[in-house]
Amino acid sequence: MGKGRTARARRASTTVALLAATVTAALAAGCTGTHNPVDDGRGQLRTPVPTPSRSGGDDTDKSAGSVLAVKIDNVRAARPQTGLRAADVVYAEQVEGGLSRLMAVYATQLPKSIGPVRSARESDLELLRQYDDPTLAFSGAQGKLLPLIDKAPLRAVPPGDGDDGAYYRGTDKAAPHNLYLHPSQLMPSAPGADALTNGFTFGAAPAGGTKETSRTVRYPSASFTFSWSAKSDRWLVSMDGTPTVTTDGRRVAPATVVVQYVKVRKSRFHDVLGNNTPYTETVGSGTAQVLRGGRAYDVDWKREKAEDGTEFTTKDGSPVNFAKGQVWVVFAKAS
């Protein structure tokens, strides 16, 4: 049984009630809601939908116990990003035109600011099902995707009337690469490590592996390189051939990197230029490579249902522990 499923069982009745209330609110918003658009340059904003409190009516506790996931722009014009080092997990996915986009997940700490924030994709909804009642911050989405986001078991908070003034435009970059988020406006505090119901385990490194000092994953129009630094005991990230630093000048350096081989297929959606949006399938099984401690481990991954965490195991079925610290998961197309 994947990590976090026991917690899900305890909260099943609460989740069903919240989903029913959310769908009801969405139907009402279709008639009475108002738009407060912030142009993402690619997608549309959905009508903000009031989200029921998990505490049974106390809106001050509406996000306690759930992670914050933020879609982050990753084209050259969006860099350097803000708040990326504070994420517990960073997912890298392929989007239109062979480019890449990030989803940063926060549980143990909330930085002062995060961004640039960009639009959501259909496969984000499946990816986030492994977290209990996550909050998703994003700038907009393709129009036909918005109803799916409204019905998903998450708290969707794009810019608009329901964001409590959490979003703002920076002055360091041109739109649409300058939308940022104050996460403290969406949740009072970081929920803590127990909110990471994604199946990851941490501890001693597995036996075996091979020495690895650098690994590059390429998309048609983007690349990620992870270089091992024995001095910092971390993997130094470079994107598109340039070292990745945040706006405070510090290098992004996860403790563990997972290259997860998945099926990437065409989705039902396109961007404004007519490019098809790739769908990254994260439910199923396959192979992966785990990079930690300057070594690479060939492993298997499995996620039987969307609400399950993702299990990484050795060939004999033993769990593969990650190193304590930030984890990057880069989705690569399986051959």
Side-chain angles (χ1 to χ4, degrees):
M1 179 178 292
K3 181 180 177 182
R5 293 181 63 184
T6 300
R8 289 188 181 85
R10 290 197 302 266
R11 290 187 286 205
S13 59
T14 300
T15 301
V16 170
L18 293 181
L19 287 174
T22 300
V23 171
T24 301
L27 292 174
C31 298
T32 62
T34 58
H35 289 277
N36 183 13
V38 178
D39 182 13
D40 176 53
R42 185 183 297 276
Q44 300 176 28
L45 290 177
R46 79 186 203 2
T47 300
V49 176
T51 302
S53 166
R54 293 183 58 194
S55 60
D58 180 6
D59 288 338
T60 63
D61 192 37
K62 57 192 173 186
S63 297
S66 60
V67 300
L68 170 65
V70 184
K71 290 305 299 290
I72 297 181
D73 201 350
N74 198 38
V75 296
R76 291 182 186 272
R79 301 174 193 152
Q81 290 107 339
T82 299
L84 196 57
R85 286 173 49 88
D88 293 277
V89 184
V90 178
Y91 295 100
E93 62 182 347
Q94 182 179 328
V95 293
E96 299 84 4
L99 296 169
S100 65
R101 188 156 294 179
L102 307 178
M103 179 187 286
V105 175
Y106 299 85
T108 59
Q109 59 179 319
L110 297 178
K112 182 178 179 180
S113 181
I114 302 171
V117 181
R118 288 300 296 268
S119 54
R121 297 295 183 272
E122 182 185 13
S123 52
D124 298 336
L125 306 182
E126 178 179 279
L127 176 62
L128 285 175
R129 286 286 300 278
Q130 61 193 309
Y131 295 96
D132 290 337
D133 308 322
T135 294
L136 174 61
F138 63 106
S139 64
Q142 205 271 354
K144 294 181 180 179
L145 177 58
L146 298 179
L148 299 182
I149 295 175
D150 284 337
K151 294 177 183 178
L154 51 78
R155 179 187 176 222
V157 189
D161 294 341
D163 67 16
D164 297 325
Y167 293 91
Y168 68 97
R169 288 286 182 185
T171 59
D172 58 334
K173 301 178 180 72
H177 312 293
N178 63 349
L179 182 67
Y180 293 88
L181 172 73
H182 285 310
S184 62
Q185 298 297 105
L186 297 185
M187 54 179 58
S189 61
D194 287 346
L196 294 169
T197 55
N198 52 15
F200 297 176
T201 61
F202 297 82
T210 58
K211 184 177 180 180
E212 186 79 57
T213 58
S214 182
R215 177 63 195 277
T216 297
V217 179
R218 300 186 187 280
Y219 295 165
S221 302
S223 68
F224 297 88
T225 297
F226 303 93
S227 302
W228 175 245
S229 170
K231 180 179 179 180
S232 62
D233 198 31
R234 291 290 186 270
W235 296 91
L236 305 181
V237 181
S238 296
M239 295 189 290
D240 302 333
T242 302
T244 301
V245 296
T246 50
T247 46
D248 60 5
R250 301 179 66 186
R251 191 77 181 266
V252 177
T256 304
V257 177
V258 180
V259 181
Q260 185 175 344
Y261 294 98
V262 297
K263 182 178 180 179
V264 180
R265 59 172 172 81
K266 291 183 178 181
S267 75
R268 296 169 288 173
F269 303 103
H270 298 76
D271 68 7
V272 293
L273 300 177
N275 297 311
N276 183 267
T277 300
Y279 189 104
T280 299
E281 296 189 3
T282 56
V283 172
S285 61
T287 61
Q289 280 196 323
V290 173
L291 309 179
R292 62 166 294 179
R295 301 186 73 79
Y297 301 86
D298 293 322
V299 305
D300 295 320
W301 70 269
K302 181 175 67 174
R303 185 178 169 207
E304 292 184 353
K305 298 188 296 295
E307 59 268 27
D308 291 343
T310 306
E311 299 177 359
F312 295 91
T313 59
T314 59
K315 300 304 178 183
D316 64 3
S318 301
V320 174
N321 293 327
F322 296 166
K324 184 178 180 180
Q326 186 179 80
V327 177
W328 274 58
V329 180
V330 182
F331 295 118
K333 188 173 183 179
S335 57

